[in-house]
Amino acid sequence: MLHIQENISLKDYNSFGIDVKANHFAEIFSEADLQTLFENEITQLQKLLIIGGGSNVLFTQDYEGLVIKISIKGIESIANGEDILVTAGAGEVWNDFVNYCVEHGFAGVENLSLIPGTVGASPIQNIGAYGVELKDVFESCTAFEIKTGKIRTFNFSDCHFGYRESAFKGELKGQYIITTVTFRLASQPNINTSYGAIETELQNRGIEKPNIADVSAAVSHIRVSKLPDPSTIGNAGSFFKNPVIEKYEFADVVAKHPDVVHYPTPDDKIKLAAGWLIEQCGWKGKVVGQTGTWKNQALVLVNHGNATGKEVYNFSAQIIDSVKSTFGVTLEREVNIL
Ligand code: FAD
Ligand code: EPU
């Protein structure tokens, strides 16, 4: 039974733990709930915000509108040659979905273990970690069109995935609510341990021929050592994107800062490690009022208890200014600011 609540605190619905209120709030468990919700006047008369786990948002003020939390569940799989097509409801917790795949021997998402949030949000910013992005396993998704109430299917080529980008953040922003995502996974794993500390972690565990469960465990271990747990320290993961710059711009940066941490991109540009830039500016582990950066990862901004969204936002602006004046590079926020 659909229940629209009024004047509700969003503190438990965002991983930053920011205490703001929404005029209205509804939790959705099925596509039928969505149809019912959009027949209601309350929905038609105000602005809308879709959330899953709230782990990539920063609320800087009360939300004067309707917040729609997507909790559509269910996981189904069918074999397709050597591949497995797995369809999950948008409200499945991402890491529960990863664990399901690992337990069933469906390979492809093990490097994305322990990312907070929901399946439905995973295409929005094309989540990525440890050498894999959502786009590498994405087959299609279904979405409710807000204007018409129709369900539409989006294939890979419709989504325009890029680094922390997709059509859902760009030209289609605010138009669709993702209801299911289908992944193309493999019965024969293609183990990918090339990124960062995965190899070292596997060696420490004495594992020479890792399976997908080993990779998932190694990635989870590394993540826990670097990133704060939102259930104790509010945060939304990386606050900024790693900046991608042209080669000629990079030439200026590296001339002045020869040890700058950087990686080539497939489109012949250079990606800089924002965490390194921020650390070099002296911000790593800094506590400023109720906010600051995480002691083990300067790219993560945290709530030390009672931070307001405005406080975190203003702090992020200070970091942007400082990185710009030291390196001439402009950081872009990765977290959705509301
Ligand atoms: P929300 O925060 O609820 O929403 C995010 C955006 O998606 C919003 O714009 C929202 O409107 C939209 N949205 C959500 N659900 C839907 C839907 N069903 N239909 C349409 N729009 C929707 N991200 C990475 O990519 N890699 C990482 O390694 C990573 N590590 C993290 C570590 C920590 C500790 C934290 C807190 C976050 C991390 N993140 C990472 C960010 C976050 O986990 C991802 O962005 C995740 O996909 C957010 O899921 P969510 O359900 O919480 O989305
Ligand atoms: N670094 C520093 N100081 C820091 C943090 C990082 O010098 O305080 C250096 C590290 O030493 C390393 C490099 O920066 O050489 C990269 O660091 P790390 O491997 O921790 O990854 P990242 O680039 O900071 C990105 C993603 C993460 C993802 C990891 C692992 C972005 C914006 N962030 O972080 O995603 O988990 O790689 O693949 O691309 C997120 O999006 O919320 C997120 C956590």
Side-chain angles (χ1 to χ4, degrees):
M1 181 61 187
L2 181 68
H3 178 43
I4 302 179
Q5 293 170 270
E6 234 176 292
N7 199 24
I8 138 162
S9 168
L10 295 176
K11 193 171 195 294
D12 293 340
Y13 297 105
N14 73 96
S15 65
F16 251 118
I18 304 290
D19 197 1
V20 289
K21 285 190 172 144
N23 284 5
H24 291 99
F25 180 91
E27 190 166 2
I28 295 296
F29 296 93
S30 64
E31 283 177 6
D33 277 354
L34 273 179
Q35 304 286 359
T36 311
L37 183 69
F38 278 82
E39 281 158 16
N40 194 307
E41 235 190 15
I42 288 178
T43 312
Q44 288 157 12
L45 290 179
Q46 53 189 336
K47 61 177 184 169
L48 308 173
L49 172 68
I50 317 305
I51 59 164
S55 52
N56 206 26
V57 290
L58 176 69
F59 288 104
T60 58
Q61 54 193 324
D62 286 342
Y63 191 75
E64 309 279 346
L66 167 66
V67 173
I68 304 173
K69 177 173 165 57
I70 304 299
S71 297
I72 300 170
K73 300 283 184 181
I75 305 183
E76 283 171 11
S77 59
I78 50 163
N80 183 287
E82 294 231 317
D83 294 343
I84 324 281
L85 293 176
V86 187
T87 298
E92 286 289 341
V93 170
W94 174 261
N95 197 47
D96 292 351
F97 166 72
V98 171
N99 287 339
Y100 173 96
C101 294
V102 169
E103 277 159 23
H104 285 75
F106 303 158
V109 285
E110 56 281 359
N111 292 51
L112 301 176
S113 294
L114 224 60
I115 296 181
T118 56
V119 164
S122 64
I124 305 287
Q125 71 156 6
N126 178 27
I127 58 168
Y130 294 91
V132 173
E133 286 184 331
L134 181 277
K135 71 172 172 55
D136 303 329
V137 289
F138 179 91
E139 175 72 9
S140 63
C141 67
T142 57
F144 176 93
E145 186 176 18
I146 290 175
K147 203 163 73 183
T148 62
K150 292 201 174 115
I151 298 291
R152 176 176 161 191
T153 300
F154 290 88
N155 295 316
F156 179 86
S157 60
D158 301 320
C159 296
H160 303 155
F161 291 123
Y163 166 59
R164 297 295 191 270
E165 284 298 343
S166 77
F168 301 107
K169 270 182 84 177
E171 63 269 28
L172 301 177
K173 193 174 165 65
Q175 296 179 36
Y176 289 91
I177 300 174
I178 294 179
T179 49
T180 67
V181 183
T182 299
F183 303 83
R184 183 173 285 274
L185 302 177
S187 52
Q188 300 301 317
N190 183 8
I191 298 288
N192 175 352
T193 58
S194 55
Y195 186 99
I198 305 181
E199 286 286 2
T200 313
E201 181 55 30
L202 289 167
Q203 275 163 19
N204 291 346
R205 290 166 182 238
I207 298 167
E208 274 175 27
K209 287 209 170 109
N211 57 29
I212 58 174
D214 297 325
V215 174
S216 173
V219 167
S220 300
H221 180 87
I222 299 164
R223 292 183 66 96
V224 168
S225 71
K226 283 192 181 182
L227 298 169
D229 175 357
S231 66
T232 49
I233 301 264
N235 76 92
S238 301
F239 198 87
F240 305 98
K241 290 185 192 177
N242 284 325
V244 177
I245 60 174
E246 299 292 340
K247 279 190 163 161
Y248 72 89
E249 297 171 302
F250 177 67
D252 279 352
V253 178
V254 78
K256 292 185 201 125
H257 309 278
D259 47 352
V260 59
V261 178
H262 65 283
Y263 323 88
T265 67
D267 55 353
D268 213 28
K269 296 182 181 180
I270 304 286
K271 190 188 265 185
L272 304 179
W276 185 88
L277 300 173
I278 297 168
E279 179 172 355
Q280 296 304 305
C281 293
W283 292 110
K284 190 169 182 172
K286 272 264 162 73
V287 179
V288 178
Q290 290 289 315
T291 184
T293 62
W294 185 235
K295 59 183 186 325
N296 300 333
Q297 207 342 329
L299 192 46
V300 178
L301 269 52
V302 295
N303 175 2
H304 283 296
N306 295 311
T308 62
K310 281 210 169 77
E311 193 178 355
V312 178
Y313 183 85
N314 291 340
F315 178 57
S316 74
Q318 269 183 276
I319 292 181
I320 292 174
D321 287 349
S322 158
V323 168
K324 179 78 183 172
S325 64
T326 310
F327 295 99
V329 172
T330 306
L331 292 181
E332 194 187 322
R333 294 179 182 88
E334 192 245 65
V335 170
N336 298 281
I337 309 296
L338 291 157

